[in-house]
Amino acid sequence: VYLTAPPGDTSRVFILELSSGRILILKGGDLLPQPFIVQTGVTSGGERGLFSLAFHPEYSKNGYFFVSYAREGGVVVRRYRVSSNPDIADTRTGVDVIFFPTTSPIHFGGWIGFGPDGWLYIAKGETGYRALAAGDSTRLGKILRLDVTSAFPYAIPPGNPYASAPSPANEFWAVGFRNPWRCSFDRETGDLYIGDVG
C-alpha cells in the first residue's frame, strides 16, 4: 500500500504490506528475503492495517523512522531506529509518539511524512464521523504538524496556525478532512497535495 525510501537513498525501495505488518526492501532490483521490520500488533480487516512509513530528514545520522498503523483501540504513530545492519530495523527501540483512540473500522487517513520544513505531518481521517472533521477540538479529520526532533514525544512548531491554543488544537496544521489517505510534497514548491478519499 505504500512505497518510500530514506532521504538520498537511490538504491532501495521500502514496500509496506497492509495486513501483514511487513515492510520489505527492494534493493538493486531484488527483494531481500528478510523484512526490514515486521510490525507486531497490527489490526487488519476493513480499512485497518499498516498505513505509512516516514524516514527522519537526518535518518543517515540518527537512524530514526516512523510508522503509522491501526492497532487495538485506534491508530498509532511509532518511532524506531535502524540497527547496525542498514537493511534491518532494531525493534527494541520502538516507542509510541502519538495515539488516536477510535472504535471505527473506516476513514483512518494514516499517511505520515516529513515536510521541507523538517516537521512531521500526520493525516488523520474522521473515522466515519463527518461532523468532527472541521469544527471540533479532536484530532479527527485533521492534518497535524509536529516537531519530533527537539523533544520527545514531540513539541509544537511555532508556526502552527493554533500554536498558542490548548492541546490538541496547537497540533493542527489543517482541518476539515474526510479521509486524507495519501499526500505528497511538491519537490519544487513545497506545496502539500492531499488525496482526500471521497
Side-chain angles (χ1 to χ4, degrees):
V1 292
Y2 197 63
L3 300 174
T4 189
D9 189 335
T10 59
S11 64
R12 299 181 297 172
V13 176
F14 289 69
I15 305 166
L16 276 67
E17 294 181 338
L18 179 68
S19 299
S20 72
R22 299 195 311 170
I23 298 178
L24 309 175
I25 297 179
L26 187 69
K27 186 176 183 179
D30 296 318
L31 193 64
L32 299 186
Q34 184 172 347
F36 178 63
I37 190 172
V38 179
Q39 178 57 60
T40 59
V42 173
T43 302
S44 61
E47 297 178 7
R48 298 181 179 97
L50 178 62
F51 300 133
S52 192
L53 163 66
F55 294 96
H56 193 279
E58 298 297 323
Y59 179 74
S60 63
K61 298 177 182 177
N62 61 31
Y64 286 140
F65 67 93
F66 299 75
V67 293
S68 169
Y69 64 97
R71 74 180 185 200
E72 189 66 33
V75 174
V76 66
V77 174
R78 192 165 170 82
R79 187 190 76 187
Y80 290 95
R81 200 173 218 160
V82 69
S83 73
S84 57
N85 180 342
D87 295 329
I88 303 293
D90 185 348
T91 56
R92 300 169 299 176
T93 63
V95 288
D96 290 356
V97 174
I98 191 168
F99 181 70
F100 306 91
T102 179
T103 57
S104 171
I106 61 171
H107 297 184
F108 296 114
W111 173 86
I112 57 175
F114 284 90
D117 52 16
W119 310 134
L120 179 66
Y121 289 73
I122 302 172
K124 188 69 190 79
E126 35 77 306
T127 64
Y129 302 100
R130 296 184 189 181
L132 299 180
D136 77 312
S137 60
T138 74
R139 295 182 175 104
L140 300 180
K142 313 295 192 299
I143 292 184
L144 311 182
R145 184 170 68 168
L146 307 179
D147 171 5
V148 294
T149 302
S150 68
F152 180 82
Y154 57 85
I156 304 300
N160 277 9
Y162 312 102
S164 60
S167 178
N170 56 358
E171 303 164 3
F172 301 169
W173 181 75
V175 304
F177 298 95
R178 181 174 185 249
N179 188 16
W181 167 240
R182 286 293 176 254
C183 309
S184 182
F185 284 97
D186 188 298
R187 294 176 183 173
E188 292 186 1
T189 67
D191 291 341
L192 178 60
Y193 288 85
I194 302 164
D196 193 356
V197 181

